[in-house]
Amino acid sequence: MLGSLGVVFGDIGTSPLYAFNIAINSVYDPSVDSASTVYGLVSLILWTITLVVSIKYISFVMRVDNKGEGGVMALVSIIESSKIKRKSLYIGLGIVGVALFYGDSVITPAISLISAVEGVSVVAPSLSNLVVPITLVMVLLLFGVQKYGTANLGKYFGPIMAVWFLIIGIGGLYQMILFPAILNSISPLEGLGFIIANPIVAFLSMGLVVLAITGAEALYADMGHFGRKPISKTWFYMVFPALALCYMGQGALVLRDPMALESPFFLLFPSIIRLPVVILATLATLIASQAVISGAFSITRQAIQLNLLPRMSVIQTSAKTIGQIYLPFVNLLMMLVVIALVILFGSSENLSGAYGIAVSGTLLVDSILFIVTLRYIWNRSKIFVATYTFIFLTLDTILVLANLPKIIDGGWLPILIAILVLIIVISWVKGQSNATKKRLQIELPLQDFIEKIKSDQKKIVRLPGRAIYVGHHSGLTPTAMITAVEELRELHEQVVIVYVNTSSESHIPPDDRAVFDELGYADGISQVTITYGFHDSPNIPKAIASIRNISPEIDFDPNEATYFVSLTRIVVGHERTMPTWQKKLYAIMHRNSLSVSDYYKLPIAKTVELHTLIKI
């Protein structure tokens, strides 16, 4: 539970820094009944958190997992492995959800850090012009330490966030004691009355209320680290009460002192402790940003494993929970985008317009995929599914629609990021499909090729030692092996052909990954099929070593064998398989993707790469 505080709840836990502030300043009008406005807005925030997080995610959605793993990719993998109709449509929708997540993952560090640093202007107004420079320094620090992993810092994340939730809860409670009438906002009737009295204002305010549930999807996405029970207990025992107290406390403060509209969060606390609170808030937002960055690393690796993105360098770190992997390219790209956002928007209020679209869109995608799972995979009753759909799909749709007017105020940003991600994914998938069709025309059935070797063995030199050929398609001969036999006229005495598959499951136990086949019809040639989950890190030598005691043919040190890898060079042709610009984009991505040798952790000094030209 303590560990989950530092990983799962950082994003939603730092939302009070800006959510109520931005929402109340957009709807507050001192010329009308200000009390009903504050009660109504706080009520909408409390009940949105209750419905979306407490009921939708913790009570329902988090019951769906892929061997303990959660998140939109888990829903996609479950649907992908089923036999339901319109499967490709739902998988495509899941990819849209992933694309929106990338938009969320760059906006979160920007808005969280800048909102925390804005506390400096409350403590010392003369320093307000330093908010952006200080934020940029924090951004550089945050992304600069990613390559070192977070093993040493991770153990402190939970305790720091525990102190954070304790402080914001106490701050809110203190203001509630001074103005207990704020307890009226607990009633959903206050929110309903606000909607009836000001339907248009209330509808538009829902586009800002969604800021209070940023990070809700993280509860589901990070479920694999801690499990559903610890996350749900932490939510109900500590996080939810602290958030509720903090939001009601801010409402109470504004009703007591309208001048507090300037910064209702930091003004919760007496002036003597505001500076420590600003420092604590900065630490909390760094932790929240770290969790989102780690999530971007994790989801990118999943996409690579599922062949939705080009291979990239994935570096393992020593962390147990967060920061387990580090992707240098993704880290650099995210840092540049976050820096641009801080400079371009300059304040948390300006960034709020960009934030809601990504969050509400992700929530809607999760709901649709969960409803599909309920009805067509779990076969739940139509009445239950209809009830769930009416309540939660309606709420998520309202949140999305309420955020649409914010497109011109920054909402275009996550949409643009999602479109760019979708273009990259679609171009890569289509390019890989066309390249695979061409490769299949080159590769020969393995059994036929082995028979050809037997009939022509006098013209083939059998070299001493062991060779491992990495193939693309099970049952077909690796092109590197075809080149070695037909062009070089040589083959090692002992040959192992390795095929790597990626399962729709998140993890495959290490002992179950590799399957050996001695190929009874072959002469000194055997086969190993390795299957990884989309959350696993491929390592061919390690997988082969795990089964070396099965047969004398495989009983050798994998690091001493010679590896042969088939590399493909893509050339843009005139076939109308895809637009020329898309072919060029795919060729660029393919050329700059990580080599098979590096991706599968093959020993550099013992690896031979043979190139094949493919025109698409």
Side-chain angles (χ1 to χ4, degrees), residues 157-190:
F157 285 0
I160 290 173
M161 292 307 297
V163 173
W164 168 256
F165 285 114
L166 187 63
I167 291 297
I168 67 173
I170 292 174
L173 181 61
Y174 172 70
Q175 297 295 335
M176 290 172 62
I177 292 173
L178 297 178
F179 194 88
I182 193 64
L183 288 170
N184 289 326
S185 60
I186 294 177
S187 170
L189 296 178
E190 291 291 344

Side-chain angles (χ1 to χ4, degrees), residues 345-357:
F345 289 90
S347 72
S348 58
E349 183 176 359
N350 293 337
L351 268 167
S352 66
Y355 211 4
I357 290 284

